[in-house]
């Protein structure tokens, strides 16, 4: 991915997106359910920021030569 500034934006429909500052297209989209928002007591924006931050850091590490084992087909359990 070319180097550019990224921004986190909450859209009018409640989705939170990570996108390049000079583009409208989302690179990543997060959508919290009403139950999740209630559980997080209004702090879902801070959670989204943390999730995007870690994701960008991991993408940087992978771009530097990290290994992604993607041999399996179908859904993967990630936890």
């Amino acid at each position: 991915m070319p180097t550019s500034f990224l921004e986190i934006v909450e859209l009018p429909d409640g989705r939170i997106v990570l996108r390049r500052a000079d583009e409208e297209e989302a690179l990543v989209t997060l959508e919290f359910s009403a139950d999740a928002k209630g559980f997080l007591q209004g702090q879902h924006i801070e959670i989204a920021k943390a999730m995007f931050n870690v994701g960008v850091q991991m993408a940087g590490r992978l771009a530097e030569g990290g290994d992604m084992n993607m041999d399996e087909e179908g859904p993967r359990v990630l936890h």
Side-chain angles (χ1 to χ4, degrees):
M1 177 184 327
T3 302
S4 61
F5 288 103
L6 299 175
E7 62 184 7
I8 298 169
V9 178
E10 184 175 19
L11 301 177
D13 65 4
R15 292 180 298 143
I16 304 165
V17 299
L18 177 70
R19 66 185 185 191
R20 290 186 182 98
D22 56 353
E23 294 182 16
E24 292 293 316
E25 182 180 357
L27 299 169
V28 178
T29 303
L30 288 175
E31 185 173 356
F32 291 91
S33 70
D35 286 344
K37 287 179 181 180
F39 176 78
L40 296 171
Q41 300 177 4
Q43 297 298 312
H44 62 285
I45 299 296
E46 295 305 315
I47 300 298
K49 288 179 185 179
M51 293 170 74
F52 285 136
N53 185 27
V54 172
V56 169
Q57 288 177 16
M58 287 206 58
R61 288 185 193 132
L62 290 172
E64 292 173 353
D67 183 23
M68 289 184 64
N69 189 1
M70 300 288 286
D71 295 337
E72 300 176 26
E73 290 186 26
R76 295 185 308 151
V77 176
L78 303 176
H79 62 88

